[in-house]
Amino acid sequence: MATITYREALNQALAEEMERDEDVFLMGEEVGLYNGAYKVSKGLLDRFGELRVVDTPITELGFAGVGVGAAMVGLRPVIEFMTHNFAMLAWDQVFNSAAKLHYMSEGQFNCPIVFRGPSGAALQLSAQHSQALESTYSHFPGLKVCTPATPADAKGLLKAAIRDNDPVVFMEGELLYAMKGEVPDDDDFVIPLGVADVKREGSDVSIITHGKMVHVCMQAAQKMEKDGISAEIVDLRSLRPLDVEAILRSVHKTNRVVYVEEGWPYVGIGAQIVDIIQDEAFDYLDAPVARVTQADIPMPYAKQLEKMAKPSAERVIEACEKVLYRTV
Amino acid sequence: MATITYREALNQALAEEMERDEDVFLMGEEVGLYNGAYKVSKGLLDRFGELRVVDTPITELGFAGVGVGAAMVGLRPVIEFMTHNFAMLAWDQVFNSAAKLHYMSEGQFNCPIVFRGPSGAALQLSAQHSQALESTYSHFPGLKVCTPATPADAKGLLKAAIRDNDPVVFMEGELLYAMKGEVPDDDDFVIPLGVADVKREGSDVSIITHGKMVHVCMQAAQKMEKDGISAEIVDLRSLRPLDVEAILRSVHKTNRVVYVEEGWPYVGIGAQIVDIIQDEAFDYLDAPVARVTQADIPMPYAKQLEKMAKPSAERVIEACEKVLYRTV
Amino acid sequence: MAKTKSAAGSDRDEQPSRNGQPGRSGKADGGQSSDEQASKEQPEPSGGNAPAKESNGKLDGLGRERLQEMLYQMLLGRRFEEKTAEAYAIGKIGGFCHLYIGQEAVTVGAFEPLRPDDYVISAYREHVQALVKGIPPRNVMAELYGRADGCSGGKGGSMHLYSAEHNFMGGWGIVGGQVPLATGYGWAIKYRGEDRVALCFMGEAAVNQGAFHESLNMAALWKLPVIFIVENNRFGMGTAWERASSLYDISQKASAYDMPAAVADGMDVLNMRKVVKEAVDRARTEKTPTLIEARCYRFMGHSMSDPVHGVYRTKEEVEEHKELDPIRRFIDQLKEASLLTEDELQAIDKRVHEEVDDAGEFADNSPEPTEEALYSNVYASEDVAGRLYFDGRRQS
Amino acid sequence: MAKTKSAAGSDRDEQPSRNGQPGRSGKADGGQSSDEQASKEQPEPSGGNAPAKESNGKLDGLGRERLQEMLYQMLLGRRFEEKTAEAYAIGKIGGFCHLYIGQEAVTVGAFEPLRPDDYVISAYREHVQALVKGIPPRNVMAELYGRADGCSGGKGGSMHLYSAEHNFMGGWGIVGGQVPLATGYGWAIKYRGEDRVALCFMGEAAVNQGAFHESLNMAALWKLPVIFIVENNRFGMGTAWERASSLYDISQKASAYDMPAAVADGMDVLNMRKVVKEAVDRARTEKTPTLIEARCYRFMGHSMSDPVHGVYRTKEEVEEHKELDPIRRFIDQLKEASLLTEDELQAIDKRVHEEVDDAGEFADNSPEPTEEALYSNVYASEDVAGRLYFDGRRQS
Ligand SMILES: Cc1ncc(C[n+]2csc(CCOP(=O)(O)OP(=O)(O)O)c2C)c(N)n1
Ligand SMILES: Cc1ncc(C[n+]2csc(CCOP(=O)(O)OP(=O)(O)O)c2C)c(N)n1
Ligand SMILES: [Mg+2]
Ligand SMILES: [Mg+2]
């Protein structure tokens, strides 16, 4: 175990997988000479050279498609979107190409590609740069989606994503890159897709969440502890495949659920989890599932407005109190 | 009242609004000389000329952006996407431009634009041409979304969408264009956004749906009638704004709900409706809400496979029986 | 090596209709750009005039057998599409269906210089390209019928024919969407240090799409062995090219990327082959991409639902272009050079008819895909924990 | 009218660094393309050499007052950005922040021929463009501070400055995203038969985006009065232009659209103005679009978080370019032509400092947006039935 940052964890995952399999290469804006806009690919150009760490023009649609083409003929591209906000320009290639090729060709072509980059808000980047897009990606069959919240998960899941034979959308967080955590040194430390992680055991209420929000939920849980509320935190880690068993296990245990996500509410991930819970654990719910999301608006720039718009520990606590029928 | 096709209803709405307001124009692929890929704009070029009925190159991103720019300076563009499948190429302009401009500029610029075209599967068009994308559009605040199921709704809602000062995504159906129905002749027949329509009164189970699926649900309801099951069909008509009152009214009445949609299940519209119902009518539900969607796969070409993949009256009936705890 | 064309694209003055006329000018200058100014400045890679019979009894270095094989491919394409039209008319084929009739010379000429390991991707008007790349007519027809023996298992249909075995990377339904993919094949070839090439076909209307421009820039910047062949059949659905592009001359667009370019007469299989061969050779050796405009004409409607002529072109225009039928033309060339006898022609015709009939029968008898097929091949790796499907019907 | 440039774009042979050198060649040939071959073939619209003082005591037809106003605008831009850097350093400004220092001549020169009713849109390096278009420094600074008096109510920030009153249509955060919007303004101008023009600024890296190409085609095809000004400051973040584009010469890309094009020296405000004026006049009268490459250089890092020099450029390179400081250069030109005295310069400098300080104070004292602002202006028409917001906090 070493304590490293989320950024370093991703860097290790990339380096190890590139070392392990020469079909793996990294392509995107500023990933090479500049070492990555967020320095995730630091040192990789020097180590692997220009064929395997490729700086692209600012043409998201184009290089995403180049990646899909390369994947069709057996390479394993890791395509970095500087952020997933810009990936919208490439969504045709993600949704109409990557997600459908295997099926349309009756399995003749695989698409082992990873589309990675930060998703969601950082600090005061305003509307076009602050979108958490998990819901949209997860909607399309043919894709797999991961949202690691910690350095260990980032490393283990990225390695799994690169080894997976399907297109995987990998969603990181600008505000997570500098976060430190313990990560196994083992070169073969891989976290399989579809396995949730109970980040905190609890008995009164289940807070189910993914990605960056795990940390907001942890703060909330610690505060609630003081008021004698024991909150369990289930981090889904991947949204497709989804660890439904882990969700149900926690619901059976607490009978009260809050779903917390960074994105917008309308058809957010939480809505889908609510649907699964009411369908498969209807009689176990002592209260409606409550949801915490970002405000249902484009993200504003002003510091205070942005703060109000983002999910906060306070709002998570309010939601927990609601499902616990406690009102303060 | 005249009996006309859905196609003619849209054509009338366009013609009447262009007649009424000279800032309204239609732009898209083949809308002019060719009279529209699906003939929705038949005769409009002759009637209104090349400045108001504009054939574009095949550049969805580009002409969607041209529309947004024109809307920013006070025109009221109706942008036709030959189908919403191709609109993915333009989503950056829909989500990052149209949906956010009013907010980012603190209301200095409006974006009164309609993005219309067919959505969802027709017959054997396979994966890239058969996607129902309501869920993705509805997720983004700043947009409004309509899904008319009948000629009358098509006309009334399109007129409302054109008069609305916000960007409206208008989702039609290739298989609906030829459908006939009664439509008021009145030039000022407008159906306000956000008002659902009970397409069929019933007392045993509420089938809530939108768009093309209304007709599948009608078939199902008629069949169930024979087995003595009285199904109510609530057509949401617009997904954003959403007529929550109408949903709750029906739930209070029947206590059993099935949501039917053409799109994929994961974070489909149905998931959001389930969330609203369990949150706001928790104690009124006698059974979990059941959902009927397309199979969770890219749409296959083969006739039989496509049939199996689409929501059908049979599957709607099964779902109703499930929430009624009847098993046959 | 070819220089980038450099005319100011000022052929806007000329009548696009004249300019866009395939064959006419095309045949005359054997693939010269019809923009005289430009062609004077620098000859097109294709160079030369109409093929002359060589002492060794070859045309453009192609022997009797090879030439007749090319004729066979053109006829196969023609008859296959005619059969397809019939089958569509009686409902055996569904969905959208775009026929290639009239454009056979583009594909047969372009494929002649290829090796089996070269990649080809195209758009949705790709039936004939699938056949010429080697997919058996049986499996192509079965795919159109939506049967289990189809080259895409019945899941793709007319717009999505695939064969990994033949390096046929697909038809494509999104206009321009295949261009970045082809660039990706070029990237993979470079990555692995191979000497394959990738051919990317598209209709002229795809040239306006951003994906085209983003791809050409990367292909030129990274020196990828990709040949972009634009089939300028004059129309994108009902929109004439001159109504969709501010510049008629497509090859000129390569100058924005400092990429070699050429114009070929898409109604002349030998000229087409000559122009593409030069680009292919250059791609194998120098790893440079090329943009080729193949001037051709669509004899049928855009798709089965579009009349042959109507609002956007006259009966006369269509008839006039049918005069340039690339198959009749090639037959004449071969006979003139006494490289084809009437008997040989009959034999080829017979062989083609038999194959096409056999393909139809095979498709008729091929089974529908089973219900199990519905959920097969959505994902390549289903051995994951957790749930992949959320429709409650198929839980992984 | 200008002819489309038509060089084979073969200046790949030249050193891009030489080629990309603003000022040097630029000043010499007053906006000629540095591609000699091309410029020999056909003169750039800009034509002429460095400005000569005219008998009437004007430079390029501009009088003392106007010229000094331009100098004022350049200095205002420079000092405003310096103030911005300070404020950012102490946390008064958040988010991404891209400074314009070194590129002032591009904007001030380009705006001189404009009328107040002309539209301008740019990318995220737009503070100075917002100022020169007429938004008071107070409201721009307040926006950077995220305050209620900001020109976007504090909701947009550095990348999203707007003023409908001044027809400043925004900064834009998506590289290339503003280009179709500008084309839309051009469309609206044509639709209404007005004689306005639309200026669209973008960095050179945006030229590779598909949106740029789709837009230029429509602008040329439909004859829209849009002037596309590419600020080639040599780098897109850490990527030198020659590493991102297969063709260095950006103006050459207009030939793919048969669109007039020109290269301007973006370090020379008068040359910049001359080149843009010609395009603006043409746009008002002939309704034709123009593509202009303004060769300039970014003196600061890409954003506040990017060091001025580092992996992608050396200290020496930056210093060398600072020699070409457009403001110093303009001051020299004016003094040489005795159109500016030292006292006048001091007065301008004083005025600028006062305005910038005032802007800072104003921003400091401007209130934060209130909680009500959070949900205001999401929709323009909220008088609809049904629910618009789904977070349970604000139900409409
Ligand atoms: C992105 C996209 N937009 C629109 C369409 C609808 N469409 C299908 S084919 C076509 C015309 C394409 O013409 P061209 O590229 O010249 O090819 P051709 O049909 O002439 O072979 C259009 C508009 C599509 N399939 N994809
Ligand atoms: C579509 C998109 N991709 C990537 C980015 C991230 N990004 C912001 S600025 C920039 C560089 C742009 O360079 P250029 O266009 O030359 O403008 P400059 O910064 O030099 O003024 C990049 C890659 C973005 N904002 N939008
Ligand atoms: Mg065509
Ligand atoms: Mg730049």
Side-chain angles (χ1 to χ4, degrees):
Chain A
M1 284 285 187
T3 301
I4 60 174
T5 62
Y6 188 99
R7 173 183 288 112
E8 290 161 338
L10 292 169
N11 183 276
Q12 284 182 8
L14 287 166
E16 288 170 13
E17 294 307 302
M18 288 174 76
E19 204 56 69
R20 178 173 167 281
D21 179 350
E22 63 181 18
D23 288 337
V24 177
F25 68 95
L26 175 66
M27 179 177 268
E29 293 157 11
E30 308 293 339
V31 296
L33 181 63
Y34 200 70
N35 285 305
Y38 300 104
K39 305 297 176 246
V40 167
S41 51
K42 194 150 188 282
L44 297 183
L45 174 63
D46 292 346
R47 182 163 166 194
F48 296 100
E50 288 196 329
L51 262 185
R52 300 189 63 193
V53 181
V54 190
D55 283 323
T56 65
I58 304 176
T59 51
E60 282 79 7
L61 179 64
F63 67 75
V66 166
V68 173
M72 276 179 86
V73 297
L75 297 182
R76 307 184 78 85
V78 177
I79 298 296
E80 175 173 315
F81 290 124
M82 198 175 284
T83 83
H84 278 286
N85 300 285
F86 316 140
M88 279 185 205
L89 285 161
W91 276 358
D92 168 63
Q93 287 293 344
V94 177
F95 299 145
N96 280 326
S97 300
K100 297 174 171 53
L101 262 164
H102 189 66
Y103 193 74
M104 293 194 299
S105 68
E106 186 65 304
Q108 290 179 86
F109 295 104
N110 289 356
C111 196
I113 189 171
V114 176
F115 296 106
R116 50 160 293 270
S119 169
L123 293 173
Q124 289 193 264
L125 301 187
S126 65
Q128 293 181 332
H129 281 69
S130 307
Q131 302 170 85
L133 301 165
E134 300 91 295
S135 167
T136 300
Y137 282 117
S138 305
H139 183 55
F140 288 81
L143 297 178
K144 294 173 177 175
V145 179
C146 297
T147 58
T150 66
D153 291 345
K155 183 173 182 181
L157 286 169
L158 182 53
K159 286 165 71 80
I162 292 171
R163 296 182 190 188
D164 194 275
N165 289 321
D166 294 306
V168 179
V169 178
F170 199 85
M171 312 186 82
E172 306 160 5
E174 217 170 305
L175 296 179
L176 292 174
Y177 289 131
M179 181 166 292
K180 286 203 153 86
E182 293 219 315
V183 178
D185 305 311
D186 168 15
D187 261 24
D188 263 322
F189 166 65
V190 169
I191 297 174
L193 304 186
V195 179
D197 182 43
V198 176
K199 287 282 193 290
R200 187 181 199 276
E201 295 274 350
S203 52
D204 298 335
V205 57
S206 300
I207 304 176
I208 308 177
T209 186
H210 67 271
K212 204 183 298 169
M213 289 301 109
V214 164
H215 308 286
V216 171
C217 297
M218 288 297 236
Q219 290 168 26
Q222 279 146 22
K223 289 201 183 128
M224 287 189 283
E225 181 122 62
K226 300 199 186 67
D227 307 341
I229 300 172
S230 159
E232 173 151 299
I233 296 177
V234 180
D235 173 8
L236 297 177
R237 294 202 295 196
S238 45
L239 302 176
R240 192 169 195 142
L242 182 73
D243 190 345
V244 174
E245 293 319 311
I247 294 170
L248 298 179
R249 231 179 286 118
S250 190
V251 175
H252 293 166
K253 182 171 167 190
T254 68
N255 311 112
R256 297 167 192 281
V257 183
V258 170
Y259 196 89
V260 181
E261 68 192 296
E262 188 181 0
W264 290 299
Y266 199 107
V267 295
I269 298 295
Q272 180 61 37
I273 303 306
V274 165
D275 176 39
I276 290 170
I277 293 173
Q278 67 99 37
D279 188 44
E280 302 179 38
F282 191 66
D283 300 328
Y284 289 87
L285 282 179
D286 290 347
V289 177
R291 294 177 58 195
V292 176
T293 69
Q294 96 146 66
D296 201 6
I297 58 174
M299 186 63 78
Y301 165 76
K303 197 180 216 140
Q304 292 313 315
L305 291 181
E306 185 186 44
K307 199 156 174 297
M308 290 183 247
K310 289 174 164 179
S312 63
E314 292 61 39
R315 308 224 359 269
V316 172
I317 293 169
E318 280 168 30
C320 290
E321 284 165 342
K322 182 176 166 219
V323 300
L324 286 159
Y325 298 112
R326 299 197 182 190
T327 34
V328 257
Chain B
M1 285 285 188
T3 300
I4 59 174
T5 63
Y6 188 100
R7 173 185 288 110
E8 289 160 339
L10 292 169
N11 183 277
Q12 283 183 11
L14 288 166
E16 287 170 14
E17 293 308 300
M18 288 175 77
E19 203 57 71
R20 179 174 168 281
D21 180 351
E22 64 180 16
D23 288 338
V24 177
F25 68 95
L26 175 66
M27 178 177 268
E29 293 156 12
E30 307 294 338
V31 297
L33 180 63
Y34 201 70
N35 286 304
Y38 300 104
K39 304 296 176 244
V40 167
S41 52
K42 194 150 188 282
L44 296 184
L45 174 63
D46 292 345
R47 182 164 165 193
F48 296 100
E50 288 195 331
L51 262 184
R52 301 189 63 191
V53 181
V54 190
D55 283 322
T56 65
I58 305 175
T59 51
E60 283 79 8
L61 179 64
F63 67 75
V66 166
V68 173
M72 277 180 85
V73 298
L75 296 183
R76 306 184 79 85
V78 177
I79 299 296
E80 175 172 314
F81 289 124
M82 197 174 286
T83 82
H84 278 287
N85 300 285
F86 316 140
M88 279 184 205
L89 286 160
W91 276 358
D92 168 63
Q93 287 293 342
V94 177
F95 299 145
N96 280 325
S97 300
K100 297 176 171 52
L101 261 163
H102 190 66
Y103 193 73
M104 294 193 300
S105 69
E106 186 65 306
Q108 289 180 85
F109 295 104
N110 289 356
C111 197
I113 188 171
V114 175
F115 296 107
R116 51 160 292 271
S119 170
L123 293 173
Q124 288 192 265
L125 301 188
S126 66
Q128 292 181 332
H129 281 69
S130 308
Q131 302 170 87
L133 301 165
E134 300 91 294
S135 168
T136 299
Y137 282 116
S138 305
H139 184 55
F140 288 81
L143 298 178
K144 295 172 177 174
V145 180
C146 297
T147 58
T150 66
D153 291 346
K155 183 173 182 181
L157 286 170
L158 183 53
K159 286 165 72 79
I162 292 171
R163 297 181 190 189
D164 195 274
N165 289 320
D166 294 305
V168 179
V169 178
F170 199 85
M171 312 187 82
E172 307 160 6
E174 216 169 308
L175 296 179
L176 293 173
Y177 289 130
M179 181 168 293
K180 286 200 155 81
E182 293 219 313
V183 179
D185 306 313
D186 168 14
D187 260 25
D188 263 320
F189 166 64
V190 171
I191 296 174
L193 304 186
V195 180
D197 182 43
V198 176
K199 287 283 193 288
R200 187 181 198 277
E201 296 273 350
S203 53
D204 298 334
V205 56
S206 300
I207 304 176
I208 308 178
T209 187
H210 67 269
K212 205 182 298 171
M213 289 301 109
V214 164
H215 308 288
V216 172
C217 296
M218 287 298 234
Q219 291 168 25
Q222 280 146 20
K223 291 205 181 124
M224 286 190 285
E225 181 123 59
K226 301 199 184 68
D227 306 341
I229 298 173
S230 161
E232 174 151 295
I233 297 177
V234 180
D235 173 8
L236 296 177
R237 294 202 296 197
S238 45
L239 301 177
R240 193 169 195 143
L242 182 73
D243 190 345
V244 175
E245 293 319 311
I247 294 170
L248 298 178
R249 231 180 285 120
S250 190
V251 175
H252 293 167
K253 183 172 165 189
T254 68
N255 312 112
R256 298 166 190 283
V257 184
V258 170
Y259 196 89
V260 181
E261 69 192 295
E262 188 181 0
W264 291 300
Y266 199 108
V267 294
I269 298 294
Q272 180 62 36
I273 303 305
V274 165
D275 175 40
I276 291 170
I277 292 172
Q278 68 98 37
D279 188 46
E280 302 178 39
F282 191 67
D283 300 329
Y284 288 88
L285 282 179
D286 291 346
V289 177
R291 293 177 58 195
V292 176
T293 69
Q294 96 146 65
D296 201 5
I297 57 175
M299 187 63 78
Y301 164 76
K303 198 182 215 135
Q304 291 314 315
L305 291 182
E306 185 186 43
K307 198 155 173 298
M308 290 183 247
K310 289 173 164 180
S312 63
E314 292 61 41
R315 306 223 3 267
V316 172
I317 293 170
E318 281 168 30
C320 290
E321 283 165 344
K322 182 177 166 218
V323 300
L324 287 158
Y325 298 113
R326 299 196 181 191
T327 34
V328 259
Chain C
M1 91 156 223
K3 301 266 288 320
T4 304
K5 285 188 70 279
S6 67
S10 48
D11 53 9
R12 297 289 291 164
D13 322 333
E14 301 177 30
Q15 286 309 333
S17 53
R18 233 198 73 225
N19 190 356
Q21 198 73 278
R24 301 252 186 288
S25 64
K27 182 171 184 176
D29 58 12
Q32 297 286 349
S33 156
S34 57
D35 179 332
E36 283 90 30
Q37 188 194 346
S39 34
K40 271 198 219 67
E41 274 172 19
Q42 18 180 253
E44 285 300 325
S46 55
N49 294 332
K53 179 168 184 186
E54 295 156 22
S55 52
N56 56 10
K58 293 186 168 186
L59 280 184
D60 291 351
L62 296 168
R64 186 179 199 97
E65 204 173 317
R66 191 88 184 92
L67 291 162
Q68 292 193 6
E69 177 64 15
M70 288 166 73
L71 176 60
Y72 155 76
Q73 293 174 330
M74 290 174 80
L75 280 164
L76 175 65
R78 178 69 57 95
R79 304 282 167 258
F80 185 93
E81 293 291 63
E82 289 166 352
K83 178 85 179 182
T84 297
E86 286 167 27
Y88 192 93
I90 56 176
K92 289 184 173 182
I93 298 174
F96 290 149
C97 184
H98 312 83
L99 302 182
Y100 198 63
I101 294 176
Q103 299 175 221
E104 297 89 350
V106 177
T107 287
V108 173
F111 283 40
E112 195 285 330
L114 295 188
R115 297 193 319 224
D117 66 342
D118 292 326
Y119 300 111
V120 170
I121 188 166
S122 185
Y124 46 79
R125 196 179 298 285
E126 89 285 25
H127 306 167
V128 176
Q129 285 148 349
L131 293 172
V132 179
K133 193 69 171 77
I135 310 181
R138 290 179 154 204
N139 306 100
V140 175
M141 192 60 83
E143 187 58 37
L144 301 185
Y145 280 43
R147 303 304 175 89
D149 298 305
C151 57
S152 307
K155 287 177 177 171
S158 168
M159 300 190 286
H160 302 288
L161 306 172
Y162 297 92
S163 173
E165 175 193 347
H166 299 92
N167 291 301
F168 189 74
M169 315 305 286
W172 209 249
I174 306 300
V175 168
Q178 75 273 30
V179 188
L181 298 185
T183 309
Y185 310 146
W187 172 259
I189 292 167
K190 174 181 177 151
Y191 190 88
R192 293 170 165 149
E194 301 170 327
D195 70 344
R196 305 180 180 197
V197 305
L199 244 60
C200 181
F201 287 87
M202 72 199 83
E204 86 289 342
V207 166
N208 291 322
Q209 285 282 33
F212 170 84
H213 296 272
E214 297 184 2
S215 299
L216 261 68
N217 180 52
M218 287 185 280
L221 180 65
W222 295 335
K223 291 189 150 294
L224 306 180
V226 184
I227 295 147
F228 302 94
I229 300 180
V230 178
E231 299 196 59
N232 183 357
N233 63 5
R234 303 280 316 284
F235 301 95
M237 232 159 167
T239 305
W241 176 236
E242 55 273 22
R243 292 182 60 232
S245 173
S246 60
L247 174 72
Y248 194 91
D249 183 356
I250 289 167
S251 63
Q252 164 68 12
K253 292 179 186 274
S255 71
Y257 306 100
D258 196 18
M259 183 187 290
V263 179
D265 180 353
M267 306 301 271
D268 177 346
V269 67
L270 291 173
N271 177 256
M272 192 66 213
R273 176 254 178 190
K274 192 191 289 179
V275 173
V276 174
K277 185 173 193 319
E278 192 159 327
V280 167
D281 294 343
R282 195 163 52 231
R284 286 203 207 288
T285 54
E286 300 168 32
K287 307 290 170 211
T288 42
T290 300
L291 173 65
I292 294 172
E293 174 183 2
R295 295 210 168 150
C296 52
Y297 196 84
R298 159 161 61 73
F299 287 3
M300 311 295 285
H302 167 70
S303 70
M304 296 307 295
S305 61
D306 178 48
V308 172
H309 47 79
V311 288
Y312 64 88
R313 62 182 188 180
T314 63
K315 189 170 193 308
E316 293 61 41
E317 180 185 316
V318 176
E319 291 310 322
E320 188 186 308
H321 283 87
K322 283 189 173 173
E323 296 298 308
L324 304 167
D325 190 315
I327 296 181
R328 189 156 355 102
R329 183 170 176 179
F330 189 41
I331 290 174
D332 295 346
Q333 286 174 330
L334 292 181
K335 285 186 168 174
E336 233 167 74
S338 52
L339 287 163
L340 177 75
T341 68
E342 188 55 32
D343 292 354
E344 288 171 318
L345 177 57
Q346 294 312 323
I348 293 171
D349 202 51
K350 186 159 172 300
R351 175 179 163 206
V352 165
H353 273 100
E354 284 164 4
E355 281 199 50
V356 170
D357 293 342
D358 168 72
E361 250 172 61
F362 177 84
D364 274 322
N365 300 325
S366 174
E368 297 261 357
T370 59
E371 177 150 16
E372 294 68 61
L374 192 63
Y375 288 89
S376 68
N377 295 315
V378 177
Y379 291 95
S381 307
E382 297 209 330
D383 58 342
V384 289
R387 190 178 294 177
L388 270 174
Y389 301 92
F390 296 84
D391 51 15
R393 295 161 68 182
R394 161 86 152 70
Q395 311 219 344
S396 64
Chain D
M1 92 157 221
K3 301 264 291 319
T4 303
K5 286 188 68 277
S6 68
S10 48
D11 51 10
R12 297 288 290 163
D13 323 331
E14 300 176 29
Q15 287 309 336
S17 52
R18 232 200 73 223
N19 191 354
Q21 197 74 280
R24 299 256 184 287
S25 65
K27 182 171 184 175
D29 59 12
Q32 298 285 350
S33 156
S34 57
D35 179 332
E36 281 93 31
Q37 188 192 345
S39 34
K40 270 199 217 67
E41 275 171 19
Q42 20 180 254
E44 287 299 326
S46 53
N49 294 334
K53 179 170 186 184
E54 296 156 22
S55 52
N56 56 8
K58 293 186 170 185
L59 280 185
D60 291 352
L62 296 168
R64 187 179 199 98
E65 204 174 317
R66 190 89 184 92
L67 291 162
Q68 291 193 6
E69 177 64 15
M70 288 166 73
L71 176 60
Y72 155 77
Q73 294 173 330
M74 291 174 80
L75 280 164
L76 175 65
R78 177 70 56 97
R79 303 281 167 258
F80 185 94
E81 292 291 62
E82 289 166 353
K83 178 86 179 177
T84 298
E86 286 168 26
Y88 193 93
I90 56 177
K92 289 184 174 182
I93 298 173
F96 290 149
C97 185
H98 312 83
L99 302 183
Y100 199 63
I101 293 176
Q103 300 176 220
E104 298 89 350
V106 177
T107 287
V108 174
F111 283 43
E112 197 283 331
L114 295 189
R115 296 193 319 224
D117 66 342
D118 292 327
Y119 300 111
V120 171
I121 188 166
S122 185
Y124 46 81
R125 197 179 297 285
E126 90 285 24
H127 305 166
V128 175
Q129 285 148 347
L131 293 172
V132 178
K133 194 69 170 77
I135 310 181
R138 290 179 155 203
N139 306 100
V140 175
M141 192 61 82
E143 187 58 34
L144 301 185
Y145 279 43
R147 303 303 174 90
D149 298 304
C151 57
S152 307
K155 288 178 177 171
S158 166
M159 300 189 287
H160 301 290
L161 305 172
Y162 297 92
S163 174
E165 176 194 347
H166 299 91
N167 292 300
F168 189 75
M169 316 304 286
W172 209 250
I174 306 300
V175 168
Q178 75 275 28
V179 188
L181 298 184
T183 309
Y185 311 146
W187 172 260
I189 292 167
K190 174 181 175 147
Y191 190 88
R192 293 170 165 151
E194 301 170 328
D195 70 344
R196 306 178 179 198
V197 306
L199 244 61
C200 180
F201 288 87
M202 73 199 81
E204 86 289 341
V207 166
N208 291 323
Q209 285 282 33
F212 170 84
H213 295 272
E214 297 184 2
S215 300
L216 261 68
N217 181 52
M218 287 185 280
L221 179 66
W222 295 336
K223 292 187 147 292
L224 307 180
V226 184
I227 295 148
F228 303 95
I229 300 180
V230 178
E231 300 195 59
N232 183 356
N233 64 5
R234 303 277 319 281
F235 301 95
M237 237 163 162
T239 304
W241 177 235
E242 55 273 20
R243 293 183 60 233
S245 173
S246 60
L247 173 71
Y248 194 91
D249 184 355
I250 289 167
S251 62
Q252 163 67 12
K253 292 179 185 274
S255 71
Y257 306 100
D258 195 19
M259 183 188 288
V263 179
D265 181 352
M267 306 301 270
D268 177 346
V269 68
L270 290 173
N271 177 255
M272 192 65 213
R273 177 253 177 188
K274 191 191 289 179
V275 173
V276 174
K277 186 176 192 316
E278 191 160 329
V280 167
D281 295 344
R282 195 163 51 233
R284 286 202 208 285
T285 54
E286 301 167 30
K287 306 289 172 215
T288 42
T290 301
L291 173 64
I292 295 172
E293 174 182 1
R295 296 211 166 148
C296 52
Y297 197 83
R298 162 161 60 74
F299 288 3
M300 312 294 287
H302 167 70
S303 70
M304 297 306 295
S305 61
D306 178 49
V308 172
H309 46 81
V311 288
Y312 64 89
R313 62 181 188 181
T314 63
K315 190 170 193 305
E316 293 61 41
E317 181 186 316
V318 177
E319 292 310 321
E320 189 185 307
H321 284 86
K322 283 188 172 172
E323 296 297 308
L324 305 167
D325 190 316
I327 296 181
R328 186 149 7 93
R329 183 171 175 178
F330 189 41
I331 291 174
D332 295 345
Q333 286 175 330
L334 292 181
K335 284 187 169 174
E336 235 168 74
S338 52
L339 287 163
L340 177 73
T341 67
E342 189 55 33
D343 292 354
E344 289 170 318
L345 177 57
Q346 294 314 323
I348 294 171
D349 202 49
K350 187 158 173 300
R351 176 180 162 206
V352 166
H353 272 102
E354 283 164 4
E355 282 197 50
V356 171
D357 292 342
D358 168 72
E361 250 172 62
F362 177 85
D364 274 323
N365 300 324
S366 174
E368 298 260 356
T370 59
E371 177 150 17
E372 295 68 58
L374 192 64
Y375 288 90
S376 67
N377 295 315
V378 176
Y379 291 94
S381 307
E382 298 209 330
D383 57 341
V384 289
R387 190 178 294 179
L388 272 174
Y389 301 92
F390 296 84
D391 52 14
R393 295 162 67 182
R394 162 87 150 71
Q395 312 217 344
S396 63

